Amino acid sequence: MRPPGIRTPSRSTGGTWASHSGRPTGRRSRSLPKRQGEAKFVGAFQVGDQDLFLRKEIAPQHIWVQPLDGPAKRLTSGTWSLEFSLPPGSAPSHLAWSPDGRQIAFARVPVPMSGRLDSVSVRVVEVATGAIRSLTGATRFQSNPVWSPDGKSIAFWYPRDGRGDINWEQEIYVVPAAGGTAKSVTRTLDRMVFNGQWLADSRSLLVAANDKTTVGVWIQPMDGAAKRLDVGALVVNGAFGYDVDAGKTGRIAFVASTADRPGELYTLDSPAAKPRKLTDFNAWAKDVKFGRMERVTWKTQDGMEADGVVAYPPDFDPARRYPLVLNIHGGPTSASKTSFSTLPQLMAAEDWVVFMPNYRGSDNLGNAYLAAIQGDWGAGPGRDVMAGIAELRKRPYVDAHRTAVTGWSYGGYMTSWLIGNYPDEWACAMAGAPVTSWEDEYNLSDGSVSTRYVLGGSPWTGDRQRIAREQSPITYAAKIKAPTLVMANMEDFRVPPSQAMSLYHAMKDNGVETEFIAFPGRMHSSSDPANSRERTRLWIDWVKRHLESSPAVAMP
């Protein structure tokens, strides 16, 4: 991922480039005043609604226009900023040129503070004059504008009915480029849409979204039902956006994987054509034996249909009993997929049945399932996961006495919740970057005050401190019995490590076997090869060691 302030420029049709950065090529932004004299040695700065590990004030990001010949021209200024992002998460909105090169649509936030990124809205600037107008009048949750090829419309991301205050689906809205009333064109699709790319006819969009345990790609007309593209068993790659692109001739290119092969580049020569593979970068995988993966479904206690993915050992034998190991996804809006994924495959290779449940709040089963997590971030998802486990334990090859639970980020939250609320179910656990306290998440994370949407408001107003503590796994930590490894990055801005440290001390002081392993870096999880590999090794080794010390139960 690109760091904040470093973006891929968006090219216009008029011989200029637009870039947005605090420091454009050859120019210094004057968004922050230059300190003089003794003041330049003072390191104090205003924090505001940002994270515990902020190192310096974030400068507003603005738009510059760079002709192919001649000096750059600054187009916007002020204390507001272009949308920015701290990874991992959705990339910030790109600049979108109008086809005639006269206007640029962009996403704006009122101040450059990470906790205020919910107050994002689309604006349009006139390149000639610098005049800025609002696209629809919205002031929150509106981003990622894309101009139609004919210049008459702008598509953008916006939550269903503007309800970003609760966990509702993100849809693609379209509005006349001159402004006016926007309408959702993906409402009937009923999926959390991450891509919205215009096709050449300016009357339809190419969209992609998690769908059950795969990824769907559709052509969505301005009116009427979307038509799904047939990509067979391929799963289009991506997370907060998908690697799929449409050409002017109707050809569609995308990156996709299968259950046993990492991603390759494919094309559909037309929307009705079959996928054709263009690359074979991961040919090595054909010589490696991976276990199969399948979608499983079950009913939640309140009657909703939940699903998940099970990965089996490469030499799976239904006449044997296998430990059940959970790998709970983060998010909570990232659905498990039946495609190649390194960690589940490595776990399955240890002779484990690996379960990746999609609890309520996951983005793959429609708006009702997504929104069901609101106000119920622990108990409801916990019951969903336990119902999925109960379903799998009915299978004769699952050893019900050897179950481990693991996860990172919200997966760490769910792991911490489960081992505290269902203490007798687990042989061991690994809680990575766990959210254990909603008060800490509100006070110390980069999401900061935007965490109020979890609780319906600030934990420091009304009765919400009680609600925050009821929804926090640390409240139940004294009940934990399972040996638990805790891991975190020591400057994690997304989930500050104070939460992991609290969980570690709560278990240690109550005589539970535990270790706390930390990694360096101001990031949510280590992404460099060495530390990423070490994190995976520690994760698997902890589970393996404790499952081996729990004796298998013979099949009847």
Side-chain angles (χ1 to χ4, degrees), residues 36-50:
Q36 303 291 335
E38 291 184 5
K40 65 184 179 182
F41 299 104
V42 175
F45 61 92
Q46 181 179 0
V47 176
D49 298 323
Q50 303 195 85

Side-chain angles (χ1 to χ4, degrees), residues 286-297:
K286 70 179 185 297
D287 298 322
V288 180
K289 188 175 181 180
F290 298 105
R292 67 181 179 89
M293 304 176 76
E294 70 168 347
R295 179 180 184 240
V296 294
T297 63

